[in-house]
Amino acid sequence: MPTAKSEGSTSAAGDRKLRYQYVYDLVLAIMAERGLRPGDRLPSTTELAEIADVSSISVRRALDELERAGKITRRQGLGTFVAEPRIASDPTRPGELLHTLLDKDGGLPAVTTSLISIGVGLPSTAIATALGVDPGQPVWEIWRKRSIGSTDKILERAVLPLSRVPAIDQDRLAQGESLYRFIEERYQLTDDYTEQAFEVDTPSSWEAEHLDLAPGDPIVRVRGVSFDADGRAFDCFEQCYRATKFTFYTAGQTRHRILGPSELSNWSVMPLSNPTY
């Protein structure tokens, strides 16, 4: 059984761990040595304090850190449990979001989609440049929430120029159908490749509400541009993931380099006051 060192112990000059950090490592060691699986119960706060010979305050802080890291879950009145593994996603896979989620034990997770809003506005200079349109040219802005199982959610935004997508079937989207299947069928637009940028970020209050996040929970924000086979951009997209629930895999080669840090500073659409669509 692993044991924790007392606060102030050192193994080398400058190598100093606080008590809660030892408890953090201790819990991970217990999970590994006992072969605990998702849903298995961990020792109680009192038991961990006895094993590590530290105060319950140190244990609670360690558990707070483990929960924020997505390693454990705590259920009021029931105890502390090993968390479910992260959902694996490969955003470089072409097609709709479901196709980017990697197989788990031979199957894909169930994904449901709900439409939050749809409107027409004017793109920021950064989005207009990415799409290859004039900033005064109107674009669709579509927000949807994707639910994976009962707890995990992805917030997704699509920005498409009206010059390439003149009309959107709002009824189909409201019923949870695929936006990208619709524009492929109606306008023969498919993503031959994409350029994407990943950023760990703090969500806005609106994003946190839709993702059921606690204050301070980080997100991974993915912003990208989809290109057709002719190399013309037709979609700027943004996806927000709970940072501790997903693992991302990427592969391939970027053909365009248009998403530098300065280009991501203003990724907004200004709503039109009297849209005609």
Side-chain angles (χ1 to χ4, degrees):
M1 169 63 65
T3 58
K5 298 179 182 179
S6 61
E7 183 175 3
S9 297
T10 59
S11 58
D15 180 14
R16 186 185 186 95
K17 282 190 177 181
L18 300 177
R19 290 176 181 174
Y20 85 90
Q21 294 171 324
Y22 279 110
V23 178
Y24 185 105
D25 292 340
L26 173 69
V27 172
L28 295 180
I30 289 173
M31 292 165 58
E33 291 183 4
R34 298 184 183 180
L36 300 183
R37 299 178 60 82
D40 287 347
R41 187 172 180 171
L42 288 159
S44 68
T45 299
T46 300
E47 291 170 329
L48 287 171
E50 292 176 353
I51 295 170
D53 192 21
V54 299
S55 70
S56 58
I57 295 175
S58 296
V59 173
R60 284 195 291 270
R61 181 171 178 185
L63 295 179
D64 287 342
E65 297 288 338
L66 286 161
E67 189 169 34
R68 277 194 286 269
K71 304 294 185 183
I72 65 168
T73 58
R74 288 185 284 186
R75 302 171 193 166
Q76 186 68 31
L78 296 176
T80 303
F81 302 84
V82 179
E84 290 291 330
R86 297 187 180 202
I87 298 169
S89 174
D90 179 359
T92 62
R93 284 187 175 188
E96 55 194 275
L97 183 139
L98 177 61
H99 297 158
T100 72
L101 302 178
L102 303 182
D103 295 5
K104 178 183 177 183
D105 299 328
L108 286 169
V111 178
T112 58
T113 303
S114 58
L115 178 65
I116 298 174
S117 66
I118 181 170
V120 171
L122 299 179
S124 67
T125 301
I127 288 182
T129 300
L131 288 173
V133 300
D134 187 272
Q137 183 174 324
V139 294
W140 294 103
E141 184 179 38
I142 302 167
W143 282 98
R144 296 177 297 164
K145 181 162 61 179
R146 321 299 289 273
S147 299
I148 304 171
S150 59
T151 58
D152 300 310
K153 297 176 176 61
I154 302 169
L155 196 60
E156 184 177 69
R157 177 170 70 134
V159 179
L160 308 107
L162 269 70
S163 59
R164 305 209 67 187
V165 183
I168 294 288
D169 191 330
Q170 299 188 42
D171 290 337
R172 287 182 60 172
L173 296 189
Q175 294 170 10
E177 294 191 30
S178 168
L179 167 66
Y180 295 102
R181 192 175 306 139
F182 165 76
I183 64 175
E184 179 181 5
E185 293 172 357
R186 180 72 62 88
Y187 302 110
Q188 291 73 56
L189 292 174
T190 58
D191 54 331
D192 185 65
Y193 57 95
T194 64
E195 180 182 349
Q196 300 179 77
F198 295 73
E199 180 182 23
V200 177
D201 199 3
T202 300
S204 67
S205 57
W206 185 84
E207 291 168 335
E209 177 184 352
H210 281 283
L211 292 172
D212 296 332
L213 298 177
D217 282 352
I219 60 170
V220 173
R221 192 184 302 278
V222 180
R223 287 170 169 159
V225 183
S226 300
F227 298 89
D228 62 19
D230 296 326
R232 296 178 60 201
F234 65 88
D235 169 41
C236 278
F237 61 86
E238 180 175 357
Q239 295 166 344
C240 299
Y241 302 77
R242 184 193 295 266
T244 58
K245 293 298 292 185
F246 291 84
T247 298
F248 298 95
Y249 298 84
T250 60
Q253 182 177 358
T254 300
R255 303 190 194 182
H256 291 256
R257 297 187 182 276
I258 61 175
L259 293 181
S262 60
E263 287 76 23
L264 296 173
S265 60
N266 182 6
W267 200 253
S268 62
V269 172
M270 180 67 67
L272 295 175
S273 55
N274 295 300
T276 55
Y277 61 89

